[in-house]
Amino acid sequence: MSVSTLVLSPLSRGLFRRAIMSSGAIFHYKGREGVNKSDALIASKSLAENLNCSQNEWLECLRRADVKEMIKYTPVVQMPLEGDQVLPLLAQNAFKEHKYNQDLDIIGGVVQNEGTSLASMVLPDIQHMNMTEELFME
């Protein structure tokens, strides 16, 4: 996700000439809203609460927290914050409006079965699901 974020961010303009994007692109599925500041703040405070941080110093507590402890309370799939100076537009809108770093040489790729392990983390019963196109599109 980080390479596609850099391609989209106006703050990275002119910092590099080439990019290789493979897996985890920020161009997540259509119709899904990005993470906004309010949602990110709520999730961060919830994480701080799970780590027994005080309400007054929750941010400093998160900065000092052990990553292994944080992972226990963090969702499997993370989406970047959109609508700030790093990513002012949703990925789809940035591409539609041609508001991304277009002066780059980009190679994009995927790995066979790359979503298999992620899918099983998000949907533990995926092997037993009768996946149809209609169910997939929900």
Side-chain angles (χ1 to χ4, degrees):
M1 217 180 312
S2 60
V3 174
S4 58
T5 301
L6 288 170
V7 168
L8 289 171
S9 177
L11 297 181
S12 66
R13 185 164 284 124
L15 296 179
F16 56 95
R17 294 179 24 119
R18 294 176 180 88
I20 301 174
M21 297 192 302
S22 180
S23 308
I26 193 175
F27 199 68
H28 43 270
Y29 62 89
K30 293 179 181 179
R32 183 192 185 286
E33 288 296 319
V35 176
N36 61 43
K37 291 179 184 179
S38 300
D39 292 339
L41 184 60
I42 289 168
S44 298
K45 287 187 174 183
S46 175
L47 175 60
E49 186 177 315
N50 286 325
L51 295 172
N52 298 315
C53 297
S54 72
Q55 289 185 349
N56 295 336
E57 296 183 18
W58 67 271
L59 188 55
E60 283 303 316
C61 178
L62 286 178
R63 289 178 177 149
R64 292 187 311 265
D66 180 10
V67 172
K68 290 178 182 174
E69 286 299 308
M70 292 178 86
I71 290 172
K72 293 178 186 177
Y73 303 104
T74 305
V76 173
V77 178
Q78 296 290 316
M79 293 294 174
L81 180 66
E82 294 173 325
D84 65 354
Q85 68 271 21
V86 177
L87 292 172
L89 299 172
L90 290 172
Q92 290 87 347
N93 294 341
F95 282 111
K96 277 185 205 172
E97 298 171 21
H98 303 284
K99 293 184 177 177
Y100 61 94
N101 297 322
Q102 297 182 47
D103 59 341
L104 302 175
D105 298 326
I106 298 176
I107 296 174
V110 295
V111 178
Q112 182 179 1
N113 298 326
E114 74 176 285
T116 306
S117 59
L118 179 61
S120 64
M121 290 189 309
V122 175
L123 298 168
D125 281 343
I126 195 164
Q127 297 89 352
H128 307 294
M129 293 176 73
N130 183 16
M131 184 60 70
T132 63
E133 185 176 348
E134 291 79 24
L135 182 60
F136 179 77
M137 297 303 288
E138 284 183 9

